[in-house]
């Protein structure tokens, strides 16, 4: 007790003073104090030999003043090496400081120790959370942990609270709860759902029918150990048991709450149950926390079954992880296969284009080959005829050589033969040249045919061409046969008709002969019709051949047209891009011109403003100087002789007039006054001069109002000077000086 009281006196953050409560303890409380003091002093012995009694005492509640030392003893946090590092950790910076600062104000906001910004409770809470985030960087900071640290700070100083919190995180499964993955929280929810299904099946069925998941109401129980659910007296009793028995008390209390409120919860929907958990359940055991503890230990809890559930959950999560990995792998393979399919489709399209182009090229080559072969056949025929002519010429030459001894052959005949020989040789030479050209063409076509990727279509076309030629030859032969048959029939008919003597035969034979003649005529017409039909078929075959050639030509023209159309589209797109660039450049040029015009206009406006300001300043300076001179003159009128002063005034007015002309230019008046020396002398001669100072002031004021219009302030000043002076000269002079002094100061300013 002495050691505990000493540590409590040294603590700056303890909320309860043991000295203030010791005077009011009853006899029973004194016995409790003595018992817990003995437990604290003989902790190791009680922990080894009287464990059951210690458990019962903890379940009944640890006295408030003993909680700090007992909690440290329960978690073995009295002498931890990390306590010496606490001050060094506070000097370091943590990446979680902003999150901690944000959540501090929401931790026990109604409690006096933590109420108010920058209070002592908030500061020490920030220190402990920051220090732990530096010690365990994997966990860092989690929101629910601040409530546990806040409860510890209500009982002990911040260094001891830090040590207890580190021990709780390491030894009480809290670290796994507060990891970013929160795997331990999932395990706790799984175990709690199993206990709920086993012990309260009807309530579990109702929760599932309303889609009211366990994590919606039980997550805060495990993360904050009911510190955010119950008031502090009840939550502290649960925390006492948690320090000795671990998370088992959370399962027991949670299931006890559901057993007590099963009937009410069965009658509510999801929203109603949420409101019930937030408003009704937290205050059910405010007056009797022992009843809640008793209900909790009536709940069936099997540690072996919980271990089995833990293994099942671990296996299930491992399987889910493997399935997720497999799904991820399959998705990756699917994405790669899609990319491969797209690539193959592109390659297939390219190959199809190449195949179509190759087929078109092969068709063109086949047509050219067919034409060249026909030309080759013609050339070979010409070559054979030329060779025959050559042989004939050579035989003729040999005959002529044999007949050289014949005197009847003349020289003209020999010359004629030589000419024919030369012509034959020339024709032979031309034929050989044409033959070589055709052979070159044939070789070129064979090379081009050999360079094609596929010769099946060419061979097929050649076979079709051969079959077509065979059919054509057969049709021509059949047409010839029909023509021969028709000719024979015609000849027979003509022969039959040419025979006479039918008038000698009997009438029956005549009728029979007429029928035979008619039958022959019908057969002749039938033969002619068959011949015409075969000719028409032959014509149809020729037309089909021409149609095939025309189709190939049309395909080539269509391909060229599509190529030209694509080229036209490309050129149109390029032209459109160029037009867009041109319009953009024009727009930029227009903007630049507009901007330059605006800048020029702004410069001109600034110059005009500057010139106007300068002119206004000059005019104002001239007016101020004139007003100053007039004020000085008005002051002098009260102290000098009238006639002499008027002459001086005339000179000064002339000087001022010249100066005003120089400064202001020509006068703006429509009917300017004749204010030169003659006019002034004419209007202000010796006879018409005023006889008193008052009349002189009136004349000066009239001149001033006519020439230089005064501002209201200046007018008030001169009206004060025009008032008649009824007092003595000394008093009037002093008044004039007093009135003139501020005005002259204003002019000087």
């Amino acid at each position: 007790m002495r050691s505990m009281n000493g540590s409590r006196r040294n603590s700056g953050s303890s909320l309860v003073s043991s000295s203030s409560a010791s005077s009011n303890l009853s006899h029973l409380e004194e016995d409790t104090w003595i018992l817990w003091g003995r437990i604290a002093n003989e902790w190791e012995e009680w922990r080894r030999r009287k464990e059951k009694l210690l458990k019962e005492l903890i379940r009944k509640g640890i006295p408030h003043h003993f909680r700090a030392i007992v909690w440290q003893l329960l978690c073995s946090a009295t002498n931890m090496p990390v306590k010496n590092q606490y001050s060094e950790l506070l000097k370091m910076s943590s990446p979680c400081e902003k999150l901690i600062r944000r959540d501090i104000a929401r931790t026990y906001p109604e409690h006096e120790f933590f109420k108010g910004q920058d209070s002592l409770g908030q500061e020490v809470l920030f220190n402990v959370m920051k220090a732990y985030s530096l010690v365990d960087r994997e966990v860092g900071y989690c929101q629910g942990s601040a409530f546990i640290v806040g409860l510890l700070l209500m009982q002990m100083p911040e260094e001891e609270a830090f040590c207890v919190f580190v021990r709780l995180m390491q030894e009480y499964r809290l670290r796994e709860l507060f990891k970013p993955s929160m795997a331990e929280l999932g395990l706790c929810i799984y175990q709690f759902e199993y206990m709920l299904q086993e012990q309260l099946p009807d309530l579990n069925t109702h929760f599932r029918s309303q889609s009211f998941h366990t994590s919606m109401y039980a997550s805060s129980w495990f993360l904050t150990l009911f510190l955010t659910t119950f008031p502090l007296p009840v939550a502290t009793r649960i925390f006492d048991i948690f320090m000795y028995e671990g998370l088992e008390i959370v399962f027991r209390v949670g299931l006890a709450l559901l057993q007590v409120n099963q009937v009410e919860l069965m009658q509510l929907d999801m929203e109603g149950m949420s409101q019930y958990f937030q408003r009704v359940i937290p205050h059910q055991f405010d007056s009797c926390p022992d009843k809640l503890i008793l209900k909790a230990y009536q709940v069936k809890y099997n540690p072996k079954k919980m271990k089995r559930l833990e293994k099942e959950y671990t296996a299930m999560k491992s399987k889910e992880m493997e399935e997720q990995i497999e799904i991820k792998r399959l998705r990756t393979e699917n994405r790669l296969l899609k990319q491969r399919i797209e690539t193959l489709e592109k390659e297939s399209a390219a190959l199809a284009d190449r195949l179509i182009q190759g087929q078109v090229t092969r068709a063109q080559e086949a047509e050219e080959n067919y034409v060249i072969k026909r030309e080759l056949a013609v050339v070979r025929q010409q070559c054979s005829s030329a060779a025959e002519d050559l042989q004939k010429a050579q035989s003729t030459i040999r005959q002529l050589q044999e007949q050289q001894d014949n005197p009847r052959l003349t020289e003209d005949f020999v010359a004629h033969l030589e000419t024919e020989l030369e012509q034959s040789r020339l024709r032979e030479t031309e034929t050989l040249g044409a033959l070589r050209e055709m052979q070159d063409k044939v070789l070129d076509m064979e090379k081009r045919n050999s360079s094609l990727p596929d010769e099946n279509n060419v061979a097929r076309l050649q076979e079709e061409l051969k079959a077509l030629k065979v059919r054509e030859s057969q049709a021509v032969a059949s047409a010839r046969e029909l023509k021969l048959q028709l000719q024979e029939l015609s000849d027979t008919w003509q022969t039959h008709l040419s025979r006479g003597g039918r008038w000698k035969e009997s009438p029956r034979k005549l009728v029979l002969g007429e029928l035979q003649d008619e039958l022959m005529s019908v057969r002749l017409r039938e033969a002619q019709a068959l011949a015409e039909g075969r000719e028409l078929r032959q014509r149809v075959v020729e037309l089909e051949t021409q149609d095939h050639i025309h189709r190939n030509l049309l395909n080539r023209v269509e391909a060229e047209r599509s190529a030209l159309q694509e080229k036209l589209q490309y050129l149109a797109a390029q032209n459109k891009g160029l037009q867009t660039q041109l319009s953009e450049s024009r727009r930029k040029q227009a903007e630049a011109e507009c901007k330059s015009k605006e800048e020029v206009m702004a410069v001109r406006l600034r110059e005009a403003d500057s010139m106007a300001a300068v002119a206004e300043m000059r005019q104002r300076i001239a007016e101020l100087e004139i007003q100053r001179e007039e004020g000085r003159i008005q002051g002098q009128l009260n102290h000098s002789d009238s006639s002499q002063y008027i002459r001086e005034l005339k000179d000064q007015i002339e000087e001022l007039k010249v100066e005003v002309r120089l400064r202001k230019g020509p006068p703006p008046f429509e009917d300017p006054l004749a204010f030169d020396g003659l006019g002034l002398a004419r209007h202000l001669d010796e006879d018409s001069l005023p006889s008193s100072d008052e009349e002189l002031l009136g004349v000066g004021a009239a001149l001033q109002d006519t020439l230089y219009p005064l501002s209201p302030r200046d007018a008030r000043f001169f009206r004060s000077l025009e008032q008649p002076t009824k007092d003595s000269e000394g008093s009037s002079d002093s008044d004039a000086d007093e009135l003139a002094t501020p005005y002259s100061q204003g002019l000087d300013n």
Side-chain angles (χ1 to χ4, degrees), residues 297-320:
Y297 280 98
Q298 291 175 358
V299 173
K300 296 178 181 179
Y301 182 85
N302 190 348
K304 293 182 179 179
K305 189 176 292 184
M306 300 299 281
K307 287 289 184 182
R308 181 176 58 81
L309 291 174
E310 182 177 357
K311 292 180 180 179
E312 290 179 0
Y313 181 79
T314 304
M316 182 178 65
K317 283 298 178 181
S318 300
K319 187 176 180 180
E320 289 181 359

Side-chain angles (χ1 to χ4, degrees), residues 621-674:
I621 290 170
E623 290 177 357
L624 291 174
E625 289 179 354
I626 292 170
Q627 290 175 5
R628 183 177 179 182
E629 291 296 328
E630 289 176 354
R632 188 173 58 82
I633 292 168
Q634 292 290 344
Q636 290 177 358
L637 285 174
N638 298 325
H639 303 286
S640 61
D641 184 67
S642 299
S643 60
Q644 181 181 358
Y645 185 69
I646 286 176
R647 285 192 296 271
E648 293 177 358
L649 181 61
K650 287 165 55 179
D651 298 336
Q652 291 178 2
I653 288 173
E654 288 294 332
E655 293 176 359
L656 291 172
K657 183 178 178 182
V658 173
E659 186 176 358
V660 168
R661 285 177 181 174
L662 294 174
R663 291 181 180 273
K664 300 179 64 175
F669 305 101
E670 296 179 358
D671 198 6
L673 296 174

Side-chain angles (χ1 to χ4, degrees), residues 2-267:
R2 283 194 297 272
S3 63
M4 184 197 70
N5 288 333
S7 64
R8 297 295 292 174
R9 284 194 299 270
N10 293 331
S11 171
S13 60
S14 177
L15 299 178
V16 182
S17 175
S18 60
S19 60
S20 61
S22 60
S23 59
N24 298 325
L25 292 176
S26 63
H27 181 70
L28 180 60
E29 291 175 345
E30 289 179 359
D31 293 340
T32 305
W33 273 62
I34 293 171
L35 177 61
W36 278 102
R38 185 184 303 166
I39 292 172
N41 290 327
E42 301 173 358
W43 177 256
E44 295 297 332
E45 184 178 356
W46 276 79
R47 192 68 182 266
R48 288 195 307 268
R49 298 181 181 180
K50 303 177 181 180
E51 185 176 359
K52 292 184 179 180
L53 180 59
L54 180 61
K55 182 185 293 186
E56 292 296 329
L57 291 173
I58 291 174
R59 289 180 180 178
K60 291 180 180 179
I62 302 172
H64 177 72
H65 305 287
F66 286 92
R67 278 199 174 101
I69 186 64
V70 173
W71 284 357
Q72 294 181 53
L73 292 172
L74 283 172
C75 63
S76 302
T78 52
N79 296 315
M80 292 183 64
V82 74
K83 185 176 182 179
N84 300 326
Q85 303 175 5
Y86 183 74
S87 58
E88 297 295 330
L89 293 172
L90 295 181
K91 298 177 182 179
M92 301 168 63
S93 61
S94 172
C96 304
E97 290 184 7
K98 291 184 179 179
L99 296 175
I100 298 172
R101 288 287 185 192
R102 183 192 65 188
D103 293 337
I104 278 179
R106 293 182 286 184
T107 304
Y108 300 114
E110 302 299 328
H111 200 279
E112 291 295 332
F113 187 49
F114 299 98
K115 187 182 294 184
Q117 189 176 4
D118 298 330
S119 62
L120 177 61
Q122 291 189 6
E123 190 63 29
V124 296
L125 178 59
F126 173 78
N127 292 338
V128 174
M129 298 308 301
K130 172 186 172 183
Y132 185 78
S133 67
L134 292 171
V135 170
D136 191 354
R137 294 183 181 271
E138 183 181 1
V139 175
Y141 167 73
C142 188
Q143 186 176 1
S145 60
F147 290 94
I148 299 174
V149 176
L151 180 64
L152 296 176
L153 289 172
M154 295 178 195
Q155 311 296 331
M156 62 191 73
E158 56 181 300
E159 295 88 350
E160 297 173 0
F162 173 68
C163 295
V164 173
F165 183 65
V166 171
R167 184 64 69 180
L168 289 176
M169 295 291 285
Q170 293 175 352
E171 302 296 335
Y172 287 77
R173 297 171 60 185
L174 294 184
R175 185 174 184 275
E176 302 297 326
L177 279 173
F178 292 124
K179 275 186 177 181
S181 61
M182 289 189 174
E184 192 70 17
L185 178 62
L187 173 60
C188 294
I189 296 295
Y190 179 75
Q191 293 172 338
F192 190 81
E193 285 180 349
Y194 181 84
M195 292 179 65
L196 177 63
Q197 183 178 1
E198 185 181 24
Q199 301 184 26
L200 300 172
D202 296 336
L203 184 61
N204 182 51
T205 304
H206 179 67
F207 281 168
R208 291 189 176 182
S209 64
Q210 296 294 328
S211 299
F212 193 62
H213 302 289
T214 308
S215 58
M216 297 172 66
Y217 60 89
S219 297
S220 61
W221 295 351
F222 290 97
L223 289 174
T224 62
L225 306 176
F226 294 101
L227 293 175
T228 58
T229 304
F230 295 119
L232 278 177
V234 181
T236 309
R237 288 287 302 276
I238 298 173
F239 197 82
D240 290 340
I241 303 172
F242 169 77
M243 293 293 292
Y244 189 76
E245 300 181 16
L247 285 175
E248 177 184 343
I249 188 61
V250 179
F251 289 96
R252 289 181 178 277
V253 171
L255 209 59
L257 289 175
L258 296 179
Q259 287 178 351
V260 172
N261 299 278
Q262 180 179 3
V263 178
E264 290 79 2
L265 291 173
M266 291 284 290
Q267 300 174 0

Side-chain angles (χ1 to χ4, degrees), residues 596-637:
S596 62
K597 288 180 181 179
E598 290 178 357
E599 291 178 354
V600 170
M601 186 63 67
V603 170
R604 290 180 179 175
L605 289 175
R606 287 197 295 271
E607 289 179 356
D609 293 340
S610 301
M611 293 174 66
V614 170
E616 186 178 355
M617 291 299 295
R618 288 177 179 175
Q619 183 178 359
R620 184 60 180 165
I621 290 170
E623 290 177 357
L624 291 174
E625 289 179 354
I626 292 170
Q627 290 175 5
R628 183 177 179 182
E629 291 296 328
E630 289 176 354
R632 188 173 58 82
I633 292 168
Q634 292 290 344
Q636 290 177 358
L637 285 174

Side-chain angles (χ1 to χ4, degrees), residues 553-565:
L553 182 61
L554 185 62
N555 291 332
R556 289 199 299 273
V557 172
E558 184 67 22
E560 292 177 357
R561 186 191 66 79
S562 61
L564 290 174
Q565 188 175 3

Side-chain angles (χ1 to χ4, degrees), residues 400-409:
L400 291 174
Q401 287 177 356
E402 291 175 355
Q403 295 176 2
Q404 282 181 358
D405 298 335
N406 192 352
R408 289 179 298 177
L409 295 174

